[in-house]
Amino acid sequence: MDIAKPRPTRGRVPAALAVLTAGLLAFHRAVPNTPGRVGSLLESFLPWLGLAVVPLFLYGLVRRSPVVLVAVLLPVAVWTRHFGDLLLPAYPAGPRDLVVVQHNVSDENPDPAGTAHALAGSGADLIALEELVPDALPSYERVLAARYPHHVVRGTVGLWSRYPLSGARTADIKPAGLTEPWSRGLRAVAATPHGEVAVYVAHLPSVRIGPRGMTSARRDESAERLGREVAAEPLERVVLLGDLNGTVDDRGLEPLTSRLEIPRRGFAFSFPAGPPLVRIDQVMARSATVHGIDTLPATGSDHLPVRARIGLG
């Protein structure tokens, strides 16, 4: 009696994993956010999902499995479509560009003066800072004053500018339920040579990753409040600078990313300072183009500064 031989299954599991990886990259918004904000957690590290291709490709190469090698092309194509432009060189500088720097300087920074000197040499027109504590604030004011004669501070966030600032006020992004003093948003108007720009500086609540997933409810609520502030802004041009404690792929920042343009070139992973894994320090704009974003050398903070060039048209 002949016994049927089992059909070969070599490569089916790796091929299925390649298809799954492509599906998560393409349809990450379909991943539910409950329990544990698992969808936001996936989106926070979405670019790194592409690394799954490497062992799958090596498996297909070593085992000479055509099905795996072909399947791997699917996540490569999806990743390239989603993130490929970020790998391209920055757009050429234009005559109407605004250079901005965003930096969470850390409330435990041991060298605020050194950090301020580094930022002053960045060539920026605007510098936004978060986690400004009373003991360190005089150092930033003193060092930055020569190159940035205009500045405004609200709570723990501040904006330094080469150009005159007006209309400064607190932006109310405080989540409900917080009873302690909490002021981490501001709005001011910068009178640039190319017209007025409404500049928002914000530091959204932190998120935590633990056994039950990611806790981001307060961050998400604060993002919603900031999104409403931006939507109601009467000036056409808007620039948002801040530690938003989320990546641009994270659905928790959709109230902002749906209303503002994100950088077109550069990953600029900014947190933690070494080695950086995600960019939670963001630069976004309305009626302006964020041509590219990069990181500056480490300071005394647990974040890296990010620098962006914004075309004002």
Side-chain angles (χ1 to χ4, degrees), residues 64-266:
R64 298 181 181 179
S65 172
V67 67
V68 175
L69 293 176
V70 171
V72 160
L73 295 177
L74 188 57
V76 168
V78 177
W79 191 96
T80 302
R81 183 177 183 276
H82 196 79
F83 298 111
D85 284 352
L86 299 179
L87 296 173
L88 298 176
Y91 291 93
R96 297 172 63 86
D97 284 356
L98 189 71
V99 179
V100 301
V101 164
Q102 148 60 28
H103 192 27
N104 179 326
V105 295
S106 175
D107 56 5
E108 297 179 349
N109 192 322
D111 185 18
T115 297
H117 278 292
L119 298 176
S122 66
D125 300 305
L126 302 173
I127 297 177
L129 305 181
E130 298 83 43
E131 294 199 11
L132 292 168
V133 293
D135 289 345
L137 179 57
S139 294
Y140 293 106
E141 292 177 326
R142 182 177 63 255
V143 174
L144 294 174
R147 296 189 182 183
Y148 302 92
H150 312 281
H151 84 281
V152 58
V153 175
R154 291 292 185 273
T156 58
V157 300
L159 175 66
W160 275 257
S161 172
R162 292 176 53 202
Y163 310 121
L165 297 174
S166 62
R169 62 171 174 81
T170 298
D172 182 12
I173 60 172
K174 182 178 180 179
L178 284 180
T179 57
E180 65 269 22
W182 198 94
S183 179
R184 290 164 53 164
L186 70 81
R187 178 262 191 193
V189 177
T192 80
H194 312 296
E196 291 187 333
V197 178
V199 184
Y200 286 79
V201 181
H203 184 192
L204 301 191
S206 299
V207 301
R208 296 288 183 267
I209 300 175
R212 296 185 178 181
M214 187 169 78
T215 58
S216 64
R218 284 180 172 172
R219 190 277 314 267
D220 295 351
E221 181 184 348
S222 191
E224 182 66 42
R225 288 175 176 267
L226 182 56
R228 290 197 296 266
E229 288 259 358
V230 169
E233 170 57 49
L235 284 181
E236 180 181 3
R237 286 184 183 145
V238 175
V239 171
L240 168 62
L241 309 167
D243 174 3
L244 304 187
N245 273 303
T247 69
V248 294
D249 294 300
D250 186 337
R251 68 192 69 180
L253 297 189
E254 191 171 9
L256 300 169
T257 55
S258 63
R259 294 181 169 107
L260 299 167
E261 181 177 313
I262 63 176
R264 296 185 175 186
R265 302 286 168 86

Side-chain angles (χ1 to χ4, degrees), residues 11 26 31 57 99 116 134 158 161 184 191 197 218 275 281-282 284 291 304:
V31 177
F57 173 76
V99 179
S161 172
R184 290 164 53 164
V197 178
R218 284 180 172 172
D281 296 276
Q282 305 295 352
M284 304 181 192
H291 288 307
L304 294 177

Side-chain angles (χ1 to χ4, degrees), residues 1-5:
M1 181 176 63
D2 292 335
I3 300 177
K5 294 181 180 180

